[in-house]
Amino acid sequence: LCGDFKMQVPFPFSLLCLQVIKCKAAVMWEANKPFSIEEVEVAPPKEHEVRVKIVATGICRSDDHVITGALVMPFPIILGHEAAGVVESVGQGVTAVKPGDKVIPLFVPQCGECQNCLNTKGNLCSKTDLGTSGGLMADGTTRFTCKGKAIYHFLGTSTFTEYTVLHESAVAKIDSAAPLEKVCLIGCGFSTGYGAALQTAKVEPGSTCAVFGLGGVGLSVVIGCKVAGASRIIAVDINSDKFAKAKELGATDCINPKDFNKPIHEVLTEMTGGGVDYSFEVIGRTDTMTAALACCQYNYGLSVIVGVPPAAQKITFDPMLLFTGRSWKGSVFGGWKSKDAVPKLVADYMKKKFVLDPLITHTLPFTKINEGFDLLRTGK
């Protein structure tokens, strides 16, 4: 826009181009209410911040957890964290991206400086808003206003808006040829499930796996287990309508707990002659977390918690489940170091190493976001 402007000027160049943008956003004013499509003001990016035009965003169960109160966040808020877009402008000091770059927002940033970023075993950057419920940028303020009120950010991303502002550590530049309406899933759901199998559990060829929950993330776990070479992948869900898609993506068996008169962990233990090598809870319920642990092989089985645990709930379980040798792990964003991994995952998609299309059930205009959440809640 200003590329041909070569005169020296007595004030910062950024002031020429960076202005407040007015656009549409889905604002959540309070819990357990529908989204309200509003005109919001999006402030220019400050130092080390990036303003992004969102092209496509996915609906994730974690967003719905905020609406129901299972995940506590401040209101009013702009939710959304699984997306892809194009850089509109950058603040002072940003070098990693420039206007026009295709990017994926990162709800787990990668600052490259904190203890977790520097450790090869960690990926949960200390700059993440996950667990802190802050809802503000690093300087303690927000970039959104609506009707004169400040609107909180969600997980440092807030993608249910036509424009958003992120810290530069929370954006990953991706292949300019990547279809944003597909690779937006790499911003959360796909990477979370796929990485839980490959990165967190490190599923081995010939192993047996059980996946509890067949939403987008659970199906991505199935894809990861198949890519890892698992010989048996047992998909578990109380919605049998999910089974055809699960088998298409690599599940060898599909079982509905409602079809049995005994606890599901006993069914799985009998099916596998002693328990699975790896299990994954991809729902976010305490009862299925303990069932997933119990269905693992008693001496060397590994169970991974992938679903977001509900707030203010505790788990009670028999410690003998762990004493005999089982392992229990958690996985956020699939264990990937986000800025490093996301561009590589997009490249792998472009090379057809995995598919994303089967994970997309509906494509809706932004103004129908409430219909999208209705589809999510009814398992469609």
Side-chain angles (χ1 to χ4, degrees):
L1 194 63
C2 302
D4 295 326
F5 192 81
K6 295 185 174 67
M7 290 178 60
Q8 287 187 329
V9 289
F11 48 89
F13 170 80
S14 60
L15 294 181
L16 286 173
C17 296
L18 302 190
Q19 299 176 347
V20 171
I21 287 178
K22 291 185 177 181
C23 67
K24 289 180 183 177
V27 177
M28 179 60 54
W29 291 102
E30 56 183 302
N32 295 301
K33 293 291 177 66
F35 289 93
S36 179
I37 303 297
E38 305 278 7
E39 180 180 82
V40 300
E41 295 83 39
V42 184
K46 295 186 179 181
E47 187 174 9
H48 294 296
E49 293 178 355
V50 180
R51 188 160 59 184
V52 174
K53 179 180 181 179
I54 298 296
V55 173
T57 184
I59 287 174
C60 181
R61 181 67 71 175
S62 300
D63 301 306
D64 195 45
H65 284 337
V66 179
I67 298 169
T68 62
L71 183 60
V72 178
M73 290 284 168
F75 291 94
I77 192 169
I78 294 175
L79 297 175
H81 62 285
E82 177 184 86
V86 179
V87 174
E88 178 269 337
S89 58
V90 298
Q92 185 179 352
V94 174
T95 58
V97 295
K98 63 184 184 303
D101 285 345
K102 285 187 176 181
V103 294
I104 287 179
L106 308 171
F107 75 92
V108 174
Q110 186 182 345
C111 72
E113 300 170 352
C114 72
Q115 182 179 4
N116 289 348
C117 284
L118 293 173
N119 192 303
T120 57
K121 299 176 183 178
N123 80 313
L124 195 56
C125 175
S126 64
K127 284 188 166 62
T128 182
D129 198 27
L130 187 66
T132 64
S133 306
L136 299 171
M137 299 296 284
D139 66 352
T141 65
T142 175
R143 302 293 169 268
F144 301 118
T145 55
C146 181
K147 298 177 180 178
K149 295 182 179 179
I151 308 297
Y152 287 101
H153 295 249
F154 178 54
L155 300 182
T157 50
S158 289
T159 62
F160 291 166
T161 171
E162 292 176 323
Y163 288 87
T164 191
V165 177
L166 311 100
H167 191 272
E168 66 174 332
S169 63
V171 285
K173 181 181 175 181
I174 61 170
D175 186 342
S176 61
L180 300 184
E181 73 280 5
K182 311 286 187 186
V183 299
C184 64
L185 299 184
I186 292 174
C188 178
F190 175 77
S191 301
T192 296
Y194 188 69
L198 294 177
Q199 187 76 4
T200 304
K202 294 180 169 56
V203 171
E204 298 164 319
S207 59
T208 57
C209 303
V211 182
F212 288 69
L214 300 176
V217 183
L219 292 172
S220 298
V221 175
V222 171
I223 294 172
C225 292
K226 182 180 179 181
V227 168
S231 62
R232 195 171 185 189
I233 305 168
I234 306 170
V236 184
D237 203 295
I238 58 172
N239 182 355
S240 299
D241 292 341
K242 306 264 190 182
F243 292 167
K245 184 68 67 68
K247 288 188 175 180
E248 175 189 341
L249 293 173
T252 57
D253 306 79
C254 293
I255 60 174
N256 188 330
K258 293 181 176 179
D259 295 338
F260 300 90
N261 294 321
K262 61 177 69 175
I264 193 62
H265 72 273
E266 293 182 10
V267 175
L268 288 162
T269 301
E270 292 173 6
M271 284 178 66
T272 54
V276 298
D277 299 309
Y278 302 96
S279 70
F280 303 85
E281 199 281 349
V282 205
I283 303 167
R285 291 176 56 97
T286 55
D287 55 344
T288 44
M289 289 173 187
T290 51
L293 176 66
C295 80
C296 282
Q297 207 278 346
Y298 72 95
N299 184 219
Y300 52 78
L302 169 64
S303 186
V304 182
I305 294 175
V306 188
V308 177
Q313 287 196 26
K314 308 296 182 185
I315 291 182
T316 302
F317 68 99
D318 182 353
M320 188 61 72
L321 288 171
L322 295 178
F323 177 75
T324 56
R326 292 181 182 89
S327 299
W328 215 354
K329 295 190 75 172
S331 180
V332 178
F333 196 60
W336 303 111
K337 287 187 182 291
S338 58
K339 280 181 84 79
D340 294 340
V342 164
K344 293 177 183 176
L345 289 168
V346 171
D348 284 348
Y349 169 73
M350 299 297 282
K351 294 173 186 173
K352 295 182 169 56
K353 290 189 177 181
F354 54 79
V355 295
L356 292 174
D357 288 40
L359 301 176
I360 301 171
T361 59
H362 297 75
T363 301
L364 300 170
F366 181 47
T367 52
K368 292 190 176 181
I369 189 168
N370 285 306
E371 293 182 27
F373 272 85
D374 288 340
L375 290 165
L376 175 77
R377 293 165 188 144
T378 55
K380 296 177 182 178

